[in-house]
Amino acid sequence: MSSEALTHPAEPAKHASAGDNYLTNGFSLKSWLLTLDHKRIGILYLISVSVFFVIGGLAASLIRLELITPAGDVLSHETYNKMFTVHGVVMVFFFLVPSIPAVLGNFLIPLMIGARDLAFPRLNLLSWYIYIVGGLFTLTVALTGGIDTGWTFYTPYSSMFSNTYVAMAAVGVFITGFSSILTGLNFIVTIHKMRAPGLTWFRLPLFVWAHYATSLIMILGTPVLASTVALVAVERVFHIGVFDPALGGDPILFQHLFWFYSHPAVYIMILPAMGVISELISTFSRRPIFGYHFIAFSSIAIAAIGFLVWGHHLFVSGQSPYAGLVFSFITFLVAVPSAIKTFNWTATLYKSSISWDTPMIYAMGFMGLFLIGGLTGLYLAAIAIDIHVTDTYFVVAHFHYIMVGGAVMGYLGGMHYWWPKITGRMYPEGWAKISAVLIFAGFNLTFFPQFIVGYWGMPRRYHTYAAEFQVLNVMSTAGASVLGFAYAFPVFYFLWSLKYGKKAPSNPWGATGLEWQTPSPPPTTNFDEVPVVTEEPYHYPMLEPERV
Amino acid sequence: MSSQALDLHDAHGHDAHGSHAHQFDDPIQQRDSATLGMWAFLATEVLFFGALFVMYAVFRYRYPVMWDLGSHMLDWKLGCLNTFILLFSSLTMALAVQSAQLGKTKRLNICLILTLVMAFGFLVVKTFEYHHKYEESVIPGRYFQVPPHAIEKYEERYGTIKAPTAEMEPVPQAETVYDPMGPYGPGPVMKDGHVEETVARRRCSRDSLTTTESSSSSSRSISR
Ligand code: HEM
Ligand SMILES: [Cu+2]
């Protein structure tokens, strides 16, 4: 963010040997699989999370297909149970958790802070391999018979009764956990120690702040999940009573331990998306972000308070009602920092000159959907309402509004925004706009009816349902079909753009931020000279006459 | 510090920095990063074992008698010996690090060898301890058995063992209105408004073995 670069945001940085970038630095398979370059590792992650997204998506289509009719006619109930488990496990642990951090975070954090790489490139590559090994375990389970416990692995069903490959799936989740621990550890050290001269904490892009908060959760929460699923496997394999009451164990202990990770984990999924949105909103409204410090600290607040609310998943489990009261109260509190962000984004937009490029459509979509998801979270935080709608489609709709409407929209918005930087090519704007709008529409058609049907009392995780719920379920399946097609578009036009897309300049959006000051795609060492930062972040002119 | 050591060899053909990896500006930045990384790693370990500590606390709270009996089945001499071995090996390891920093190779080697010897010594002691337990079938899981001397100890301390009595069993199901909080809550709300303490709760909060002295109050009123 040197002042000189700011006055000419679109001026491509001079690069000694143009065309020499991280993509052209070796073409062999080995140069990819043994790379220590954070940008290439980001691409490895991009390919692998996309594969898992497709797998999770296929499972989801089967679920929605089954739910067109009230009777269980497409899948047997065993298969149905396996489908929603594969869907949940794959989407949560193998797509959403690594999506933004391991793809965009990996690629961008060193660029954004003016570093040559992450602090520990080998650990970074190791994290990808660990992820792949964990993924292979899980895929093996899925292909050889599946697992039917739901992504929550509740005991004692999972540890003592389920006749599926629970232990192996637990091993898969256990292993993958370490990949996100390594990513988080790497980010924390990098952000602390490797910032360019002049890049103080309060000049960091909010994307980096969000990833810092995410990393804290990753390194402090994930280990607990790892030991919890390990205990499930131990109980299952060796019959050591930990969670099964018949063996003297405590099933509620499992729920406490599981949600101690898995509630914070929902913030692992949404915080990076919030970081993306902060960047998009300010770039496309050509405004310095409103309330920078509030947004930065609200990320940290979310990470901290997020560790204290897990009991809201146990309102009906047999947890002490006094604990329930406290958890309910803290759950209301955790919504405050999210609201702070939303208000600040809105204030940034106020009277700004908004341009509706594709990333901005995603950002706006995110704001609307996250708002609904967050507000319904407050409904669920109120114990009395939660007892009514717990384990219904209302909860399903709540978290899909946040995880799909929020996190996936943020991921796609970020992918479009940084695609020119990553590949050096522009994507086709027209197609991208169409698919963004379709995704928004399809999403709402899929999940809004689920709020209603859940409020009416349709329970989740059954392959049959009462006939009066059919209309809403058909709407939902129709929406899911639109959504499925709309998600396929970007795969095609992104691939198309690799060959036919317009060549991207180094700063196609006229954005601030160090990553835009190096050529697209960046050279292997990121910057030819160590950048020196002399300006505040998001130093957009209040009114800029024209985009370049 | 393995990560530091690994990244040290990240030469990448840049001649400008022989002593540190290419992503760092200088050895100091590299060292600071490795130190912070190590602390972060330790934090993850604390949380990893944290779950196990929570489990320990829950079961210790729930089965105090079992814990008491278990403690009598340990060999305090072997335990002391192993504690000593562990502490002493920490000392030799710390001395090894210091020797490395001072460049005293010979002392470094001696210290490392001592540490390794003690690591094996620890395992040897454990083998004796565990072998004994294994023979008594005091092993976690399916094949666990309570050895006779533990039962004697129990009766000596808590009185004769009695099977759980029938009076513990009846659950006043028919009269419950609704019990949203499940078996561990204060219990179902009875039609007359008082709160029933459930059997499940009573059983879980005591050991499943009951003693002659133990009396069981069948219900407890909580004023609302
Ligand atoms: C605005 C703050 C939020 C509040 C107050 C909130 C509140 C809640 C509550 C009380 C539940 C429990 C409902 C039940 O099981 O009966 C719940 C479930 C859930 N929430 Fe949220 N939530 C919030 C944000 C999020 C975010 C950001 C995510 C994900 C990115 C998320 C994902 C989930 C998931 C996955 C579940 C259900 C898990 C399951 O049972 O399978 N929530 N939420
Ligand atoms: Cu939660």
Side-chain angles (χ1 to χ4, degrees), chain A residues 151-152 259 263 266-267 269-270 312-313 315 331 334-335 338 370 374 377-378 380-381 386 390-391 395 398-399 402-403 460-461:
Chain A
W151 77 282
T152 45
W259 290 112
H263 181 82
V266 308
Y267 291 112
M269 302 179 231
I270 197 70
H312 64 219
H313 297 275
F315 283 154
T331 304
V334 77
S338 303
F370 177 71
L378 292 178
L380 297 172
D386 184 67
T390 197
D391 265 331
V395 175
H398 154 69
F399 66 73
I402 293 177
M403 294 159 83
R460 62 193 279 208
R461 296 186 171 172

Side-chain angles (χ1 to χ4, degrees), chain A residues 236-249:
Chain A
R236 197 176 160 87
V237 177
F238 301 110
H239 285 238
I240 296 177
V242 182
F243 302 127
D244 179 11
L247 298 176

